[in-house]
Amino acid sequence: MWNRIFALMVKEFLALLKDRKGRLVLVVPPLVQLMVFGYAATFDLKNVPYAVYSEDRGYVSRDLLAAFNGSSNFTLIAHPGDEREIAPLVDSRKVLMVMRIGPNFSSDLSSGRASTIQIIVDGRNSNTAMLVVNYAATIVQKFNREWAARHDAAIPVHIETRSWFNPNLESRWFFIPGIVGLLTLLVTILVTALSVAREREQGTFDQLLVTPMSPLEILMGKALPGFLIGILEATLITLAAVFWFEVPLLGSILTLYTGVFLFLLSAVGVGLMISSIAVTQQQGLLGAFFFMVPAIILSGFATPIRNMPTIVQDLTLLNPMRYFLVVLRGVFLQGTPFHLLIPQLWPLAAIGIASLAIAGWLFRNRMY
Amino acid sequence: MSMRLNGLIRKEFLQIMRDPSSIAIAFLMPLVLLLLFGYGVSLDSEHIPLGVVVEAPSADSSNFAAAFPESRYFHIVHFQDTHQAVESMMAGRVNAIVVLKQDFPKRSRQPDGAPVQLILNGVDENTARIISGYVDGALQKWLEHDAAMRGDQLHSPIRMAQRVWFNGELRSRNFLVPGLIAVIMTLIGALLTALVMAREWERGTMEALLVTPISMNEVILGKLIPYFILGMGGLALSVAMALWLFEVPLRGSLWVLFAASALFLIAALGMGLLISSVAKSQFVAGQVAIIGTFLPAFILSGFIFDINSMPGFVQAITHVIAARYYVAILQTLFLVGDEWSVILPNAAALVLLAAIFLGITWKKTRKRLG
């Protein structure tokens, strides 16, 4: 039995690797994606283009502007001299933010009164808008603190902020472990989902059926290559994450691979489920898509599961990616020990076994 | 020529009808994706669990702890000691902890003031930043209140008033849904066409086509027209859902929206044709279509992540992503209006990209004839 499975595995690998394009597709795009997305997927804002409309000539407003200029988050690109120039700057997306300083700003402050500055933000992307407001508020608050210190105002309370696991709050550290999961899923599903459909379309599946191989053997011969490729893919991307992007890998490798192994059970299972239903490769691809997009979107990859409506949150309990991401981020950044990840690992195992069982059943029933 | 073209288009439509997966791509996919994103994805953080530890309860500390009330944005969890709170953060039950140490009451009377510790779980840095901003804001408010009570010096001389244009209540759905339409149209365009050319090569029917008097232009047009019609149908469905189901305002005009979408769809279909005529096998074409179109449209288009903040070489890559221009047009059309200073340059870029993709496809296919 193992001989036959092994022979089929060799054949699968040959079919995947026989032409140069097929080989390249397995290695190059995932790495290119890791590079591009590793640098692009970030909520850190840099060089936010902004304009200042100031009617005040006093020294305080100059100090405040210097504080904004000194920040790498903002780049001053316009200095409108007229109020009517503000709207066109924002509308045409030349600036994301306009700061308005009124005529009495410095004199108000010098005589001990509070003064207000206005911040106008382009809300087309509401998330970016909120971040811009936060950055501006941070600069203003720091300015206020220094002002209070210079003017001998006793401050009864101050905040000492420390962020654990990601001291500089780098967005990249959050996203790259997620990308390890995303690309592992992508490659594994594509390899397995199209494997049977391709044989069906080329008519070679019938030939496979007249061999002495049992359905279970064919299933295993199809599943194991996907599994091996998934493990290699995960290893490749983990290495790039650690050595290229220098994301810390604090936890144990064994815990990480337990997660990868259990996750691949589900990925291969779902891929084979799609494969046994699809008649053409186009259908297989479509099936892969209909699984992958929700699996990624509802996993907490980019937006927290907490923000979703309750029904959708319950639905995510069926999504293997959800658990895998917690394992990945935990092992990479927090060094979470194995026993704290068991609540994530057992659902992964359960979903994996269930999906492989369903794939096996579908295989037997859809084969002839 | 038109008769031959008609024949090809009819053949393509028959194939579409026979394998319903093309129809599913054009109509079922927008439906599923929009529902998923519209209801499932939200960047509006609410009910963030925040732990508060008061080590030595006193009048001063409870006065200060009251500065963090339960709100729509924060769910406050009180802890007796720091150890408990840290364990809870490790397990992911709270995202941050505010600690008022034992000596808080004593030190708050001293000149340099009492420190309040804020421990953030930095893994999800976006949430961490939101919390940090919120805690800072709450502190400022408390300080002002406290200073006013004691008739003290001003602590925060500058106040910031913010006005967010185009999306006053910062509803993330208002920018996610238009951006999503761009992602969906990319998918429709690339998936629909990526496989069809490769399929003809793989099945050997392309050679059969080549010996007929049909020219390569006709083959390309014969592929483009049916899928263009299908794609525009998918667009109409998406726009209808955006307006009536998700109640995103459309402040620009509908005809500009459809004209820009037609341009974009031609570019996306061209990209798909290019992929499939280069790949020649459905497996490779399918892989490249997903990896080369969906993910860039999602991550590199400015749909969620700000392009200006990306490093230079990534910004350079975004220039060949058609979705980038389409996202800019869509977000402006929906939320701002017919703002030509945004629409015209981006539309011009779309025309250029479409011409490049179709031109290369045309050249590639012709070469194989020779």
Side-chain angles (χ1 to χ4, degrees):
Chain A
M1 171 181 168
W2 287 106
N3 266 339
R4 291 202 292 266
I5 293 176
F6 184 72
L8 186 56
M9 276 176 65
V10 171
K11 187 227 111 198
E12 283 298 314
F13 272 114
L14 283 176
L16 274 174
L17 303 177
K18 68 169 190 261
D19 76 318
R20 206 171 53 90
K21 282 178 197 149
R23 280 196 305 271
L24 287 180
V25 152
L26 288 182
V27 179
V28 177
L31 279 184
V32 171
Q33 283 179 79
L34 178 67
M35 289 302 145
V36 172
F37 301 156
Y39 285 111
T42 165
F43 282 126
D44 300 335
L45 297 181
K46 287 188 198 83
N47 315 320
V48 173
Y50 78 110
V52 175
Y53 172 59
S54 172
E55 296 168 286
D56 180 75
R57 298 271 170 266
Y59 74 99
V60 191
S61 64
R62 279 206 304 276
D63 283 356
L64 182 66
L65 291 182
F68 272 85
N69 272 333
S71 148
S72 66
N73 301 122
F74 291 96
T75 309
L76 180 68
I77 66 152
H79 230 120
D82 190 324
E83 201 181 340
R84 278 166 302 183
E85 290 170 38
I86 294 177
L89 277 172
V90 178
D91 288 350
S92 62
R93 310 213 316 169
K94 287 204 177 66
V95 300
L96 263 180
M97 179 184 97
V98 179
M99 185 159 60
R100 271 183 77 156
I101 301 178
N104 304 324
F105 180 77
S106 292
S107 59
D108 271 351
L109 287 178
S110 310
S111 52
R113 282 191 301 272
S115 188
T116 304
I117 59 168
Q118 197 183 44
I119 300 278
I120 297 166
V121 185
D122 179 350
R124 253 167 278 196
N125 181 328
S126 67
N127 193 54
T128 306
M130 204 171 68
L131 290 172
V132 170
V133 169
N134 267 349
Y135 284 174
T138 308
I139 295 178
V140 170
Q141 274 160 21
K142 186 160 169 257
F143 188 87
N144 277 340
R145 267 201 305 279
E146 285 165 6
W147 172 278
R150 272 204 307 274
H151 292 77
D152 297 323
I155 300 181
V157 177
H158 58 268
I159 290 188
E160 284 171 357
T161 304
R162 236 167 260 137
S163 69
W164 288 5
F165 316 125
N166 184 359
N168 298 320
L169 290 182
E170 278 185 62
S171 217
R172 199 172 286 160
W173 287 19
F174 175 70
F175 279 108
I176 286 182
I179 291 174
V180 173
L182 187 124
L183 291 179
T184 306
L185 177 75
L186 196 83
V187 172
T188 312
I189 291 268
L190 281 179
V191 167
T192 47
L194 297 187
S195 68
V196 179
R198 187 173 49 219
E199 298 225 29
R200 281 221 178 91
E201 218 170 80
Q202 293 171 350
T204 51
F205 200 60
D206 293 335
Q207 291 168 18
L208 209 57
L209 292 183
V210 295
T211 60
M213 296 186 83
S214 70
L216 185 70
E217 286 167 355
I218 297 180
L219 183 75
M220 289 192 63
K222 293 274 175 195
L224 287 172
F227 211 84
L228 283 178
I229 287 174
I231 289 194
L232 286 177
E233 201 72 45
T235 308
L236 186 71
I237 301 163
T238 301
L239 287 175
V242 173
F243 292 106
W244 181 266
F245 287 105
E246 298 177 337
V247 178
L249 176 55
L250 301 177
S252 89
I253 303 285
L254 202 67
T255 313
L256 183 70
Y257 274 90
T258 310
V260 171
F261 177 84
L262 293 177
F263 176 68
L264 283 174
L265 289 183
S266 333
V268 169
V270 172
L272 287 175
M273 258 151 83
I274 296 167
S275 208
S276 53
I277 296 171
V279 181
T280 61
Q281 290 190 64
Q282 179 165 3
Q283 288 178 5
L285 197 64
L286 196 64
F289 227 85
F290 271 127
F291 172 72
M292 263 188 308
V293 174
I296 293 169
I297 289 169
L298 302 181
S299 66
F301 170 70
T303 60
I305 291 176
R306 194 186 54 239
N307 292 357
M308 300 170 189
T310 323
I311 307 170
V312 182
Q313 285 192 34
D314 292 342
L315 205 66
T316 63
L317 292 175
L318 290 173
N319 181 3
M321 265 294 265
R322 173 205 165 122
Y323 305 103
F324 191 40
L325 285 185
V326 177
V327 174
L328 283 170
R329 286 180 182 141
V331 173
F332 265 92
L333 302 178
Q334 292 181 294
T336 314
F338 189 87
H339 70 271
L340 282 182
L341 287 173
I342 290 172
Q344 314 295 330
L345 293 171
W346 76 258
L348 263 186
I351 296 170
I353 291 167
S355 59
L356 277 175
I358 297 173
W361 183 84
L362 278 174
F363 227 73
R364 207 182 294 257
N365 287 276
R366 297 260 324 183
M367 249 168 83
Y368 302 105
Chain B
M1 163 169 173
S2 75
M3 210 181 77
R4 291 199 298 265
L5 191 57
N6 274 342
L8 268 182
I9 292 174
R10 234 202 20 233
K11 176 221 125 197
E12 209 63 43
F13 266 120
L14 281 178
Q15 234 163 3
I16 291 171
M17 290 310 191
R18 216 176 304 145
D19 181 356
S21 59
S22 294
I23 303 219
I25 291 176
F27 295 103
L28 198 57
M29 195 159 65
L31 201 75
V32 172
L33 284 181
L34 271 174
L35 286 176
L36 254 177
F37 263 82
Y39 289 116
V41 172
S42 162
L43 290 161
D44 311 329
S45 283
E46 290 182 4
H47 312 298
I48 300 176
L50 173 68
V52 174
V53 185
V54 181
E55 284 189 348
S58 74
D60 278 343
S61 58
S62 52
N63 174 11
F64 182 75
F68 303 95
E70 187 91 19
S71 72
R72 186 153 70 92
Y73 305 103
F74 288 89
H75 169 62
I76 308 297
V77 186
H78 291 278
F79 291 97
Q80 300 300 326
D81 67 297
T82 314
H83 180 72
Q84 244 181 16
V86 166
E87 206 159 66
S88 188
M89 190 168 86
M90 278 295 264
R93 283 193 294 272
V94 295
N95 282 56
I97 314 167
V98 175
V99 187
L100 302 190
K101 290 260 188 219
Q102 207 107 44
D103 54 2
F104 180 84
K106 198 176 80 205
R107 287 182 66 180
S108 63
R109 306 247 175 258
Q110 287 166 1
D112 51 341
V116 173
Q117 247 183 8
L118 171 64
I119 305 173
L120 301 166
N121 185 338
V123 173
D124 180 354
E125 51 78 39
N126 203 36
T127 305
R129 268 182 217 284
I130 294 172
I131 296 173
S132 171
Y134 163 80
V135 171
D136 269 350
L139 174 70
Q140 289 301 324
K141 228 184 246 162
W142 185 83
L143 284 177
E144 266 169 49
H145 180 72
D146 184 62
M149 293 275 283
R150 293 192 294 188
D152 222 357
Q153 258 275 349
L154 208 58
H155 293 305
S156 22
I158 303 179
R159 303 213 174 97
M160 202 178 90
Q162 70 216 38
R163 294 235 324 263
V164 178
W165 284 6
F166 315 130
N167 187 2
E169 67 265 62
L170 289 172
R171 229 170 132 231
S172 66
R173 201 183 268 175
N174 282 0
F175 85 93
L176 286 176
V177 170
L180 188 61
I181 292 179
V183 175
I184 291 172
M185 296 298 286
T186 308
L187 271 177
I188 293 179
L191 276 185
L192 282 180
T193 46
L195 298 181
V196 293
M197 212 77 150
R199 187 169 57 196
E200 302 261 9
W201 284 110
E202 213 171 87
R203 291 179 179 170
T205 47
M206 188 56 106
E207 278 166 49
L209 272 181
L210 293 186
V211 295
T212 62
I214 294 173
S215 73
M216 222 53 227
N217 289 343
E218 287 168 323
V219 172
I220 293 177
L221 273 180
K223 296 280 176 200
L224 270 184
I225 294 170
Y227 293 106
F228 180 79
I229 295 172
L230 220 54
M232 287 308 276
L235 174 81
L237 176 70
S238 308
V239 172
M241 281 177 74
L243 295 184
W244 288 305
L245 190 60
F246 296 113
E247 295 172 338
V248 179
L250 177 64
R251 300 194 175 117
S253 37
L254 205 58
W255 75 266
V256 183
L257 177 62
F258 273 88
S261 304
L263 275 183
F264 173 74
L265 190 58
I266 293 172
L269 289 170
M271 177 86 183
L273 276 180
L274 176 61
I275 290 171
S276 65
S277 64
V278 175
K280 278 196 175 174
S281 98
Q282 291 188 69
F283 173 70
V284 176
Q287 290 256 23
V288 176
I290 289 187
I291 291 170
T293 61
F294 168 65
L295 289 175
F298 192 71
I299 296 182
L300 298 179
S301 64
F303 156 48
I304 294 183
F305 302 109
D306 181 53
I307 293 179
N308 278 323
S309 305
M310 298 173 187
F313 81 96
V314 180
Q315 285 193 35
I317 295 173
T318 63
H319 286 289
V320 297
I321 310 287
R324 173 205 165 130
Y325 307 105
Y326 190 42
V327 165
I329 295 178
L330 282 180
Q331 287 184 348
T332 302
L333 272 178
F334 272 98
L335 296 176
V336 181
D338 292 339
E339 177 61 43
W340 294 105
S341 63
V342 176
I343 295 165
L344 286 180
N346 285 300
L350 284 179
V351 171
L352 191 69
L353 275 182
I356 292 173
F357 291 148
L358 288 175
I360 300 176
T361 311
W362 182 68
K363 259 207 122 97
K364 280 267 173 200
T365 354
R366 213 167 52 150
K367 251 187 217 156
R368 295 237 168 75
L369 272 170

